[in-house]
Amino acid sequence: MASEARTCAVTGFRVYRQTENLIKANAVAAVVFLLIGGIAAVVVLLTRWLGLFAPRTFYQFIALHGWSMLIFWIIFFEVAILYFAGSVMLNARLAGTRLAWGAFGLMAIGAAMVEAAILRSPLNHLSFQPYPPLRGTWDFYLGTDLFAVGALLAVAIFFATVYRARKEKASQGPLPLVVYGAFVTAVLAVATLLVGAMVFVPAFLWAVGLVPSLNPFVWKLVYWGYGHPSQQINLGATISVWYLLAFLTVGGTTPSEKISRFAFVLYLVAINLGSAHHLQTEPSGALSVGWKWINTGYLMHLAVLGSMIHAFAVPGSVEIGQRARGYDRGLFQWLARGPWRNPAFSSLVLSVALFGFLGGTTGVIAGTEQLNLKWHNTTAIMGHFHGVVVAGTTLAFMGLTYYVLPLIFRRRVVAPRLAAVQPWLFGIGVGLMVLAFLQLGVRFGLPRKQPDVFAFGRSPLAFRYPPEVFALLTVAGVGGLLALAGGALFVALVVGTVLGGRRLTDEELRREYAIPQPASNPGHARDVGVRGTFILCLIFAAFFLAMYVANYLNLARAWPIGH
């Protein structure tokens, strides 16, 4: 019925009212948890940098920060992406809208229970290595399980919607690349959430006394089938969003659909093998050196190959779109003449660059068996995952939000000048913080789980770090404050737009958010190739190689052979 759906004036997609409402609900919930996580980050940052808060509060607020940012903000937003990809992009009604609201309710209740449990009891100040015999309270585990069940239902609804779109012929031919990426991400999510149930359900039964004990080693081993793969879901979602933003902002399309799809398949078969790097320093001896070596030294690199393909294809998409619009001079006119006032475009470019140079390279290095010895449990690991999840995923999701607001909420983004600045403020801040964390971890071995690096709680084993450490902590602190300011500005812009942004007519949407069209022959850009992207990739490869060499030299100095 006509009242159930509308046609998007910009994309031409069929937007069903129920899908639209569910996307709004999940996106709003995501931003709420981004706000909570950001507030908690203030305490974490100022405790480590200036010692302004008591060390005893550190673990409470870092748990609140981690669960809010790493799990709730991202997964709520990813569910919104799945509904957009499955229903809107395939012009199909969402399968099981009541079930989708039920999934949203379970996720919201579960997330609220986890947050409340963290605030209520120090037993729940668990990091993302919550191995037995550490034991939280029953409501912490129950909340985790409810959230996971809700997320699993949302993924099932996405699959059912794709099936319905094919069955009703709402979508024919190959799945669009963004939907294909979302589909692969959803498959990874199912595997990850099921493995998660294998650890968190027994943990709940243990917490209520129905199971007398858990085997710490087995629990730890299985946990890493969930812990790191949950971040690989983010990787798949982030890259899908990159392709979508390249299309929305400059009309870009990948240089090769087949190769981009192949790269997603590589994630499907190999990305989770890299989880073994979390067990590199496993002290029990139950995991052989050969097992860890093969997983992290060889098989993991199939997924790295997938990432390298996307690292070429995403900027290549932007170059193709820009050259087709006439920005065809030299190697980099396409980049210099990009729509930099569009916060979605600057978010895309910053997200790709920061993710690649800071998050991606460091992940491969930290996962290498020998080099892991210098990185394990230092702030370098914080630098890596903030480079991936904050600079990469969060910035990409922020960029997409600048299209969600006008196309789904149908509101004009308030304060456009501030919106243009926001990604730079956030990106530069996160970049500074990540660089400082990497230096502090690799060069000085600063521990990542110790709130008091000034006196170590007056421990007799405490020692003073050289002055450079405190200078780098200042860099991390200033970067963190910039990032927090950028995040607060993002939340303010979203809230201001949803509550007070002017409603847009179809004509205004077409005029202000039209997808750029080729100036002439759309095949021209492909004919001339993506020379600029090729040069950028050579620079990236040289940086990657230099990082590897520098880290091995650093390891050699720390662990001299023959002395």
Side-chain angles (χ1 to χ4, degrees), residues 84-86 89-90 158 162 175-184 240:
F84 179 83
M89 293 192 72
L90 297 183
F158 166 75
V162 173
L175 289 176
L177 181 61
V178 173
V179 183
Y180 186 86
F183 195 95
V184 170
S240 301

Side-chain angles (χ1 to χ4, degrees), residues 390-439:
V390 185
T393 301
T394 294
L395 202 44
F397 289 3
M398 285 177 171
L400 184 59
T401 302
Y402 289 113
Y403 275 91
V404 170
L405 291 171
L407 301 188
I408 300 298
F409 287 84
R410 307 190 75 186
R411 302 276 180 177
R412 175 177 284 134
V413 176
V414 298
R417 290 185 179 177
L418 287 177
V421 170
Q422 185 272 323
W424 293 98
L425 193 58
F426 187 80
I428 291 171
V430 175
L432 281 174
M433 188 173 68
V434 169
L435 285 170
F437 282 161
L438 292 172
Q439 291 285 316

Side-chain angles (χ1 to χ4, degrees), residues 2 74 117 130 197 199 232 240 244 335 354 418 442 510:
I74 287 178
V199 287
Q232 311 299 8
S240 301
L244 180 58
L335 187 58
L354 292 172
L418 287 177
V442 177
R510 271 190 288 270

Side-chain angles (χ1 to χ4, degrees), residues 174-522:
L175 289 176
L177 181 61
V178 173
V179 183
Y180 186 86
F183 195 95
V184 170
T185 302
V187 173
L188 291 172
V190 170
T192 302
L193 291 168
L194 290 177
V195 174
M198 294 169 65
V199 287
F200 282 107
V201 171
F204 169 71
L205 298 175
W206 180 45
V208 296
L210 293 177
V211 171
S213 63
L214 298 175
N215 183 314
F217 173 72
V218 172
W219 201 94
K220 178 180 180 181
L221 182 66
V222 177
Y223 173 81
W224 283 115
Y226 157 82
H228 204 83
S230 64
Q231 302 316 305
Q232 311 299 8
I233 300 169
N234 301 338
L235 177 63
T238 301
I239 291 170
S240 301
V241 169
W242 285 348
Y243 283 114
L244 180 58
L245 285 176
F247 175 69
L248 291 172
T249 56
V250 298
T253 55
T254 176
S256 169
E257 282 263 345
K258 288 182 180 176
I259 299 298
S260 290
R261 289 169 190 270
F262 175 66
F264 276 118
V265 172
L266 287 176
Y267 281 174
L268 200 58
V269 299
I271 194 80
N272 286 342
L273 299 174
S275 301
H277 79 265
H278 285 280
L279 302 165
Q280 296 280 28
T281 55
E282 163 57 39
S284 70
L287 301 175
S288 71
V289 172
W291 183 88
K292 292 184 282 190
W293 185 44
I294 289 173
N295 274 285
T296 60
Y298 290 94
L299 299 180
M300 182 180 76
H301 286 83
L302 289 173
V304 176
L305 174 61
S307 291
M308 298 296 274
I309 291 171
H310 291 305
F312 178 82
V314 173
S317 303
V318 175
E319 183 170 357
I320 285 173
Q322 283 289 84
R323 287 189 184 278
R325 295 173 65 202
Y327 302 118
D328 199 25
R329 289 171 50 193
L331 287 174
F332 297 115
Q333 190 197 27
W334 61 275
L335 187 58
R337 298 295 298 275
W340 292 103
R341 291 183 180 179
N342 181 347
F345 181 77
S346 50
S347 295
L348 167 65
V349 174
L350 287 169
S351 171
V352 172
L354 292 172
F355 180 100
F357 282 92
L358 298 182
T361 55
T362 55
V364 177
I365 290 168
T368 303
E369 187 183 13
Q370 299 87 346
L371 299 178
N372 183 267
L373 293 172
K374 284 282 287 177
W375 287 60
H376 191 76
N377 267 342
T378 71
T379 59
I381 298 299
M382 291 160 54
H384 159 63
F385 66 70
H386 280 80
V388 171
V389 181
V390 185
T393 301
T394 294
L395 202 44
F397 289 3
M398 285 177 171
L400 184 59
T401 302
Y402 289 113
Y403 275 91
V404 170
L405 291 171
L407 301 188
I408 300 298
F409 287 84
R410 307 190 75 186
R411 302 276 180 177
R412 175 177 284 134
V413 176
V414 298
R417 290 185 179 177
L418 287 177
V421 170
Q422 185 272 323
W424 293 98
L425 193 58
F426 187 80
I428 291 171
V430 175
L432 281 174
M433 188 173 68
V434 169
L435 285 170
F437 282 161
L438 292 172
Q439 291 285 316
L440 286 165
V442 177
R443 287 179 57 199
F444 300 102
L446 199 73
R448 73 184 177 103
K449 296 181 179 176
Q450 169 60 265
D452 177 16
V453 296
F454 299 96
F456 284 93
R458 304 188 187 283
S459 163
L461 299 177
F463 61 95
R464 284 197 62 79
Y465 282 101
E468 295 97 311
V469 165
F470 300 99
L472 285 168
L473 279 172
T474 301
V475 174
V478 171
L481 288 179
L482 288 175
L484 285 168
L489 180 56
F490 171 78
V491 173
L493 289 167
V494 170
V495 173
T497 301
V498 170
L499 297 181
R502 194 167 72 77
R503 196 163 183 82
L504 290 162
T505 65
D506 283 351
E507 179 55 34
E508 287 171 329
L509 280 168
R510 271 190 288 270
R511 188 173 63 245
E512 298 177 25
Y513 294 94
I515 297 168
Q517 298 298 313
S520 55
N521 176 14

Side-chain angles (χ1 to χ4, degrees), residues 143-161:
T144 305
D145 292 337
L146 290 177
F147 184 84
V149 170
L152 201 55
L153 280 175
V155 174
I157 290 164
F158 166 75
F159 286 132
T161 304

